[in-house]
């Protein structure tokens, strides 16, 4: 859930929480995920993408990965001063989510999973 008024919600492809950070009321998640992963569809336009990022920043999501199957890259965005800023674009190598120490995700494994 993004807000009650106006009622706004998003359904990212993958959300990752630390259990102790989760706030659930009336069956709805009201806490910010520790990581959101969005897989971009070919029909996804930049405006829609920016609207999602604005909403994720508004609820304090510290990290978002935008996965582009078409370009086979992962954009990493981190929350800074209330905005999600692109910090890296990865076509290979490993990703290390900031809120999950010791976790490593191979970029190539992401695209093997999507295909």
């Amino acid at each position: 859930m993004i807000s009650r008024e106006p009622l706004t919600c998003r359904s990212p492809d993958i959300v990752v929480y630390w259990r102790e950070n989760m706030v659930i009321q009336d069956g709805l998640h009201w806490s910010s995920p520790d990581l959101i992963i969005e897989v971009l569809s070919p029909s996804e336009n930049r405006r829609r993408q920016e609207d999602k990022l604005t909403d994720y920043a508004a609820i304090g999501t510290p990290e978002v990965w935008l996965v582009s199957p078409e370009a086979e890259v992962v954009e990493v965005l981190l929350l800074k001063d209330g905005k999600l800023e692109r910090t890296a674009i990865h076509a290979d190598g490993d990703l290390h989510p900031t809120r999950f120490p010791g976790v490593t995700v191979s970029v190539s494994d992401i695209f093997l999973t999507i295909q």
Side-chain angles (χ1 to χ4, degrees), residues 10-110:
R10 294 280 182 195
S11 296
D13 295 300
I14 299 172
V15 294
V16 185
Y17 293 90
W18 281 107
R19 184 179 308 260
E20 61 268 13
N21 295 340
M22 293 176 69
V23 176
I24 301 173
Q25 292 176 341
D26 301 321
L28 301 172
H29 289 267
W30 287 96
S31 51
S32 174
D34 292 287
L35 172 65
I36 288 178
I37 302 170
E38 284 279 1
V39 179
L40 304 176
S41 68
S43 63
E44 183 95 19
N45 63 39
R46 198 62 164 170
R47 172 69 181 168
R48 185 167 175 224
Q49 187 181 61
E50 291 300 324
D51 287 347
K52 288 180 184 180
L53 294 175
T54 298
D55 285 346
Y56 298 154
I59 62 170
T61 304
E63 185 169 5
V64 174
W65 295 355
L66 299 178
V67 177
S68 174
E70 191 173 342
E72 292 195 1
V73 298
V74 178
E75 291 182 58
V76 175
L77 300 98
L78 298 177
L79 190 65
K80 183 176 181 185
D81 299 325
K83 285 190 72 174
L84 284 163
E85 296 182 0
R86 284 175 183 82
T87 59
I89 298 176
H90 296 272
D92 57 17
D94 293 327
L95 301 168
H96 305 278
T98 59
R99 294 282 180 112
F100 302 93
V103 173
T104 299
V105 179
S106 167
V107 173
S108 61
D109 286 350
I110 291 171

